[in-house]
């Protein structure tokens, strides 16, 4: 008989892309998984359903900006580990909703830290920090020592949350880690994110739809990885002896143009026949190029990205294409 006590994980923001894959991973590891949404009564938890794990997860409503709600949720769930993934997560939307972004990301993280501190429990915390905090690096690989120069309300809020995690770790000895994750994609990525939009539009066109791909600047460069691999890194961070921050990335940077060209070519389409430039998608400030150096994660966690950008595109197309099989019939 297995004598190891079952661990409980609280995933804040379980309805999102990473929440779904992380819940799946932790259930496979025999965790009890409790997941929060702002309103668990009305959220459809589409990702948990599509992964076939909806019934295995306990759901709770939690408003990160409300300290009492955060405190109650944690004290009821009694987690060993908290994975804090919740908050407004779109860079583009953060220019339209800067206050909502700052409050949900920065104040939300502070509430969570204060609640764990008030409860005085030895809970380990993972925080979803982001490569956006680095700002413009010209595509030079960055690591945990690189200075932050955020270029959006989203990145500024995440940088504040990142430093609160570091500060509470140092000031109160809390086991709190920042995972500084570069872009990671999957079929669970909502269509409002550019990669989901590109794959969905290409699949619709390939199935016969009269659609056009409208994008802003396609010469920006990003380091894209595969989300299911990235949630493994989150778990590994909380299994270490000491809490630390880690960059998680593939180490390869590609332009959005390359992403589009490969997606369309995979479906036998010529990108230039369907692409429209739309200046309304351009942001007030934009990072031209980024790239991560995840050598610390490889050295200490034994983690390394396996999937390339092309693998990610192929897997997203394979999943998306059947959804449009009846177009044109
Ligand atoms: P998603 O946007 O898919 O999920 C985030 C969750 O946060 C949502 O399910 C939602 O839950 C909740 N949420 C959304 N808006 C708000 C808000 N205004 N206030 C409070 N809660 C909100 O994100 P991902 O799964 O892609 O990413 C997980 C985390 O990792 C996020 O914090 C993101 O910023 C960060 N990150 C993601 C990267 C990526 O490439 N995917 C890269 C680096 C960092 P509900 O609606 O159910 O309340």
């Amino acid at each position: 008989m297995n004598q190891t006590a079952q661990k409980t994980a609280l995933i804040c923001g379980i309805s999102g892309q990473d929440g779904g894959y992380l819940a799946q991973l932790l259930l496979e590891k025999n965790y009890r998984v409790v997941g929060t949404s702002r309103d668990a009564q009305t959220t459809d938890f589409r990702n948990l359903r599509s992964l076939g794990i909806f019934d295995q997860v306990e759901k709770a409503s939690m408003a990160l900006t409300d300290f009492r709600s955060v405190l109650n949720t944690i004290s009821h769930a009694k987690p060993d580990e908290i994975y804090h993934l919740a908050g407004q997560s779109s860079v583009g939307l953060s220019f339209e909703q800067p206050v909502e972004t700052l409050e949900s990301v920065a104040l939300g993280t502070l509430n969570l830290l204060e609640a764990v501190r008030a409860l005085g429990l030895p809970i380990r915390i993972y925080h979803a920090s982001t490569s956006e905090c680095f700002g413009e690096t010209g595509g030079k690989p960055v690591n945990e020592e690189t200075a932050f120069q955020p270029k959006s309300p989203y990145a500024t809020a995440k940088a504040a949350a990142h430093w609160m995690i570091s500060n509470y770790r140092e000031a109160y000895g809390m086991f709190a880690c920042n995972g500084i994750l570069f872009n990671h994609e999957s079929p669970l990525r909502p269509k409002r994110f550019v990669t989901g939009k590109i794959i969905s539009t290409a699949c619709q066109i390939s199935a016969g739809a009269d659609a056009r791909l409208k994008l802003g600047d396609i010469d920006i460069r990003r380091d894209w990885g595969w989300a299911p691999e990235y949630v493994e890194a989150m778990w590994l961070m909380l299994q270490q002896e000491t809490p630390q921050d880690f960059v998680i990335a593939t180490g390869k940077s590609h332009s959005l143009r390359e992403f589009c060209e490969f997606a369309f070519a995979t479906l036998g389409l010529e990108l230039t026949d369907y692409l429209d430039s739309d200046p309304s998608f351009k942001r007030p400030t934009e990072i031209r190029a980024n790239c991560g150096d995840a050598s610390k994660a490889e050295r200490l966690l034994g983690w390394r990205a396996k999937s390339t950008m092309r693998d990610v595109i192929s897997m997203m197309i394979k999943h998306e294409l059947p959804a449009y099989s009846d177009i044109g019939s």
Side-chain angles (χ1 to χ4, degrees):
M1 195 182 137
N2 184 358
Q3 296 296 319
T4 314
Q6 186 186 35
K7 280 193 192 172
T8 295
L10 178 67
I11 303 179
C12 306
I14 200 167
S15 64
Q17 167 188 266
D18 292 3
Y21 288 120
L22 179 64
Q24 186 177 50
L25 177 81
L26 297 177
L27 288 167
E28 282 164 14
K29 295 186 183 296
N30 194 35
Y31 276 67
R32 168 182 167 242
V33 176
V34 183
T36 77
S37 168
R38 280 165 292 178
D39 186 350
Q41 302 297 317
T42 57
T43 301
D44 62 8
F45 297 106
R46 195 178 315 136
N47 292 341
L48 299 184
R49 290 180 198 278
S50 79
L51 293 170
I53 56 173
F54 176 79
D55 292 328
Q56 296 168 58
V57 170
E58 295 172 38
K59 292 97 182 164
S61 294
M62 186 180 87
L64 269 170
T65 45
D66 185 320
F67 179 74
R68 172 168 290 275
S69 164
V70 178
L71 188 73
N72 282 347
T73 305
I74 298 173
S75 55
H76 282 128
K78 298 187 179 51
D80 300 284
E81 298 168 6
I82 295 179
Y83 294 87
H84 171 31
L85 314 178
Q88 199 297 97
S89 71
S90 159
V91 176
L93 188 61
S94 78
F95 286 101
E96 310 298 323
Q97 299 181 1
V99 176
E100 169 66 14
T101 303
L102 187 78
E103 287 184 354
S104 65
V105 171
L107 184 63
T109 302
L110 187 56
N111 274 335
L112 196 129
L113 285 164
E114 273 298 319
V116 171
R117 189 175 153 232
L119 289 166
L121 298 170
I123 300 170
R124 296 186 168 205
I125 302 171
Y126 169 85
H127 169 243
S129 185
T130 170
S131 58
E132 291 287 324
C133 294
F134 293 117
E136 185 59 68
T137 57
K140 192 169 138 272
V142 294
N143 65 23
E144 296 78 5
E145 307 304 322
T146 309
F148 284 176
Q149 295 183 56
K151 280 176 93 81
S152 64
Y154 168 76
T156 307
K158 281 286 190 183
H162 177 110
W163 287 117
M164 279 183 298
I165 291 282
S166 303
N167 179 239
Y168 274 58
R169 179 169 68 211
E170 188 185 347
Y172 305 116
M174 290 171 69
F175 195 110
C177 305
N178 286 298
I180 313 169
L181 271 55
F182 279 66
N183 293 57
H184 45 283
E185 314 297 320
S186 78
L188 303 188
R189 193 76 145 147
K191 305 282 177 287
R192 75 183 151 89
F193 288 90
V194 70
T195 51
K197 174 176 160 177
I198 293 163
I199 300 296
S200 162
T201 309
C203 289
Q204 287 177 52
I205 295 169
S206 148
D210 181 19
R212 307 278 307 168
L213 179 63
K214 294 186 176 146
L215 294 175
D217 186 350
I218 60 169
D219 291 317
I220 57 160
R221 299 181 72 84
R222 293 289 183 271
D223 179 329
W224 280 291
W226 180 235
E229 292 172 13
Y230 283 45
V231 300
E232 176 101 35
M234 298 176 187
W235 175 76
L236 283 167
M237 284 177 216
L238 295 198
Q239 312 314 309
Q240 303 308 300
E241 272 182 27
T242 51
Q244 294 182 55
D245 302 335
F246 289 92
V247 163
I248 299 297
T250 68
K252 299 268 185 305
S253 185
H254 298 276
S255 69
L256 193 56
R257 183 187 300 279
E258 286 174 72
F259 190 107
C260 296
E261 280 171 352
F262 186 73
F264 275 68
T266 301
L267 293 162
L269 302 168
E270 181 63 49
L271 173 67
T272 48
D273 293 341
Y274 303 99
L275 181 65
D276 289 335
S277 174
D278 186 339
S280 71
F281 289 113
K282 290 195 174 148
R283 294 165 181 165
T285 42
E286 179 75 271
I287 297 173
R288 304 289 313 155
N290 73 15
C291 183
D293 168 7
S295 49
K296 178 180 172 188
E298 182 163 10
R299 204 170 61 251
L300 300 183
L301 305 179
W303 183 93
R304 181 186 191 149
K306 297 185 194 79
S307 304
T308 63
M309 179 196 75
R310 290 183 169 214
D311 297 332
V312 171
I313 293 170
S314 301
M315 290 187 276
M316 287 175 79
I317 288 177
K318 194 171 163 206
H319 183 274
E320 187 78 11
L321 203 50
Y324 303 109
S325 56
D326 56 353
I327 291 183
S329 61

